Amino acid sequence: MLRVGLSGGIGSGKSTVAARLVELGAVLIDADRLAREVVEPGSRGLAELVERFGPEIRTADGALDRPALARVAFADEQARADLNAITHPKIGELTAQRMAEAPADAIVVHDVPLLVENDYAANYHLVIIVDAPEEERVRRLTARGLDAADARARIRAQATDEQRREAADVWLDNTGPVEDLVTAVDRLWFDRLVPYERGVRERQRPPRKPPVLADPDPEWPRTARRLGARVLRAAGEAGLRVEHVGSTSVPGFPAKDIIDLQLSVRSLADADAIAEALADAGFPADHGIQRDNPHPFDPEPAHWSKRYHNSADPGRPVNLHVRVQGGPGWWVALLLRDWLRADPEARADYLAVKRELSARHDTPEAYAAAKDPWFPAALPKAQEWADRTGWAPPRD
């Protein structure tokens, strides 16, 4: 299944997005609804809360008195921690149960108000953030009867826009008419979510696009961090670290709009052991690529073995190189990245080659093959720079 996290600040219009996704066929798991369910009358959760905070948090008919609970549970840090220790595991168990009950080909939307605050983004294939300007959100909240000062306090107690952008694969601007928001959700569903789910289930990446160089995108580093966190979450203990490599990792450098990531592992056996977990997370293996091209300083092909994965997300191409830490391919990827970051002449030379070849070749395969000779010619220059500056690759 495809797991989609949905969040946004209070008053942003997240509920409108959730409702439309359900109309389109998504399975919705509402975190707020589950939070209420785990403390319903007769539940173990309510009994534990009463035991911890006293019988006064129950109403006369045995339900949870939420204002009364808030008065005692938010009185100090320990009380809040105790509340979370009682409710959060139960909400987590119920969430996992609902996920397991969803069909294998479902697009499951998990509506989580505090997704960003609780650092949940890496749990999903995709995170959608719904946003609107603060003044518009205050207007909506006061129209519902909330005091303006209270509305602003609630908004500012939540994650900042910058924190949400760090987590967002999709940013839905809900400033205008609701019809515009619904249209954007429909486009997202049909163009991205439906094919993404199929790609995860069938272990397939979308068709490759022609090798067109894009202008430098300031979002590339943030996107790489977000994707890298998912890769590490899927790899578990076998994953040592993830690095953003390739042309999009060089600030201000035109590149194909593809994020290259390098996952460091201890052995190829570890790489093989996590292949299915990576595919489940949206990064299916490409078994046609099993090694890098050897360089003259180490001509033994077996030393350049690796595992290679792509992204099943049609909205975000990714090349994921799984390499043994300390191996020659691992070392070259990091050296060339850092050399290009540091040396303007090297960047200019490489960019000239990329522009010439992208204009001459229509397919990614032909472009990559034509570009290969540049690397062994450039590597001695990169090594000279490394020797002169004392460069060393980062390790776990």
Side-chain angles (χ1 to χ4, degrees), residues 186-204:
D186 289 357
R187 189 181 305 116
L188 172 65
W189 176 267
F190 291 107
D191 293 350
R192 192 166 185 181
L193 298 184
V194 170
Y196 193 1
E197 183 282 319
R198 184 171 59 250
V200 172
R201 178 164 38 88
E202 296 179 355
R203 304 304 202 234
Q204 294 291 327

Side-chain angles (χ1 to χ4, degrees), residues 112-134:
V112 190
L114 298 181
L115 183 153
V116 175
E117 291 85 345
N118 290 330
D119 196 23
Y120 289 159
N123 294 335
Y124 307 100
H125 294 96
L126 198 81
V127 170
I128 302 169
I129 298 293
V130 188
D131 183 61
E134 181 175 321

